[in-house]
Amino acid sequence: MSGLDSYLSDEEIVRLVIETRNNKLLGVLWNRYSKKVNDKCFSLVKEHHLAEEFTTEIFSKVIEKLDGFRGVSSFSTWLYAITYNHCIEYLRLKKRLHYPEWNRRNKLPEVVDEIEEEDLTDIRYGRMMKILDMIHPEEKTLLLMKYKDNAPLKLIQSTLQISESAAKMRIKRAKARVSYLYKELYASS
């Protein structure tokens, strides 16, 4: 393949790996995505050694599940869904971050219906990252999947193992919480 693999799309590489079992092509996907996966893991678990460990584990899962990739979404979106799911499962089990319980302890003022589709794109990047670190990891995951990775709602729903209506409501609440926190922290800026 030498050199040709750099011109192939992710989906073409996946197809070739499945058809030929040429595992050297998996190295191309590793080179393209391992840093991004590591960064996504770190953004959720906040520990470098865990992010590195998870990156390896996630790519192992990808190899195991590669035959199940159907191309409904892009390879990167599929990979990031596996990444988020792996990190969220860790946080749920090890850190005992149960979303409904966390949400009850961290009440959001009744502003959800007022916010509607408020545009969060005006928030500066640094401020947004600070706020995203303040909200529940599942809320952060929802927003990153939807707005950064452009993941379809069905993929978000299946990744977090929640219903479509729950995914929509949680996205709405997450947006409301970000907007509320932004106003609380930066109203005078």
Side-chain angles (χ1 to χ4, degrees):
M1 286 273 140
S2 63
L4 181 60
D5 48 286
S6 62
Y7 297 105
L8 297 174
S9 71
D10 300 333
E11 292 73 19
E12 290 170 321
I13 291 173
V14 168
R15 183 183 50 76
L16 284 172
V17 169
I18 292 169
E19 288 174 2
T20 66
R21 297 296 175 201
N22 180 347
N23 292 332
K24 288 182 181 179
L25 288 172
L26 293 170
V28 175
L29 296 174
W30 171 267
N31 290 336
R32 287 181 186 176
Y33 290 104
S34 61
K35 180 166 178 12
K36 292 175 185 174
V37 167
N38 187 286
D39 290 347
K40 287 180 188 303
C41 290
F42 181 75
S43 78
L44 291 167
V45 299
K46 300 295 184 210
E47 293 181 38
H48 287 290
H49 75 280
L50 272 179
E52 290 173 10
E53 181 181 318
F54 287 1
T55 299
T56 304
E57 291 173 6
I58 288 162
F59 273 91
S60 292
K61 282 184 180 182
V62 165
I63 292 167
E64 290 172 16
K65 297 179 176 195
L66 205 56
D67 286 334
F69 176 70
R70 298 286 171 246
V72 175
S73 58
S74 69
F75 172 78
S76 61
T77 300
W78 183 74
L79 170 64
Y80 299 151
I82 293 170
T83 301
Y84 288 124
N85 192 34
H86 189 82
C87 293
I88 290 297
E89 279 304 308
Y90 166 80
L91 292 171
R92 283 180 183 154
L93 296 172
K94 300 293 184 201
K95 304 274 184 165
R96 293 176 175 77
L97 290 177
H98 185 60
Y99 182 80
E101 180 184 313
W102 184 93
N103 206 31
R104 279 192 293 280
R105 286 194 318 263
N106 294 277
K107 282 284 187 200
L108 177 65
E110 293 302 321
V111 295
V112 174
D113 291 331
E114 296 172 20
I115 291 179
E116 292 303 317
E117 284 296 315
E118 185 168 338
D119 188 9
L120 300 179
T121 58
D122 291 336
I123 297 176
R124 287 191 217 137
Y125 180 79
R127 290 178 174 181
M128 177 63 85
M129 296 314 292
K130 181 178 179 179
I131 291 169
L132 286 177
D133 284 341
M134 295 171 70
I135 64 177
H136 189 277
E138 279 190 29
E139 289 180 332
K140 180 177 182 177
T141 298
L142 283 164
L143 294 176
L144 290 174
M145 286 183 80
K146 179 158 178 57
Y147 296 107
K148 186 171 187 241
D149 300 327
N150 297 313
L153 189 60
K154 290 277 186 205
L155 185 60
I156 293 170
Q157 164 191 345
S158 66
T159 299
L160 296 178
Q161 301 169 356
I162 55 178
S163 69
E164 185 176 342
S165 61
K168 287 178 181 177
M169 181 50 78
R170 288 186 187 180
I171 289 169
K172 186 175 182 177
R173 282 191 187 136
K175 286 171 46 179
R177 193 176 317 277
V178 166
S179 180
Y180 172 77
L181 289 169
Y182 181 78
K183 287 174 185 170
E184 287 290 305
L185 295 171
Y186 304 110
S188 62
S189 298

